[in-house]
Amino acid sequence: MNAEDLPATVLAFFENIEKYYGCKTEITEGLFSEIDNLDNHLTTWSLSEFDLVRSAYRKKGLKFMMEGANRYYEISADKIIDLKQPGRHKYEFIEQYGLGVYRITKIRFHSKY
């Protein structure tokens, strides 16, 4: 994605996330070290599922938040370097936390639409 378009695309995602309230939300998170070589075998993965009940933006700390019963997940707005939509109701965020430290967050909404 073009770096100039990224802020508007991220903002549009979170401005429209309410349409997924009540939907089963699957978040797959991976930690990896080479941005040009996202190898599934060299990535540390975790998975969580919940019904999305609310979302918010924490201005102090620059975090986007998604919440469900007994689940809370945040994405650092100022660390996002890429956002893709690989399919309908599927999104992939990549954040850079340091030199050679990346997190990919794959979000899939099981939408009723």
Side-chain angles (χ1 to χ4, degrees), residues 17 22 28 34 41-42 50 58 76 81 86 89 96 106 113:
I17 198 170
T28 306
E34 293 182 37
H41 300 290
L42 300 176
F50 55 91
R58 259 195 314 125
S76 293
I81 60 170
H89 311 300
Q96 183 173 10
K106 298 180 179 191
Y113 303 107

Side-chain angles (χ1 to χ4, degrees), residues 49-98:
E49 294 179 344
F50 55 91
D51 290 338
L52 184 64
V53 295
R54 73 181 183 136
S55 62
Y57 178 70
R58 259 195 314 125
K59 189 172 182 179
K60 188 172 184 177
L62 304 174
K63 307 288 189 237
F64 290 115
M65 176 275 285
M66 292 174 282
E67 187 175 351
N70 300 316
R71 298 280 192 238
Y72 186 85
Y73 193 83
E74 290 187 337
I75 295 173
S76 293
D78 61 334
K79 306 238 185 269
I80 297 171
I81 60 170
D82 196 19
L83 169 58
K84 294 179 180 146
Q85 186 174 1
R88 189 168 183 206
H89 311 300
K90 295 179 182 181
Y91 303 88
E92 293 181 1
F93 289 86
I94 295 180
E95 298 159 90
Q96 183 173 10
Y97 282 91

Side-chain angles (χ1 to χ4, degrees), residues 3-22:
E4 295 168 355
D5 297 334
L6 184 60
T9 304
V10 171
L11 187 59
F13 170 83
F14 279 97
E15 285 180 339
N16 294 299
I17 198 170
E18 288 182 6
K19 68 183 176 186
Y20 295 117
Y21 284 7

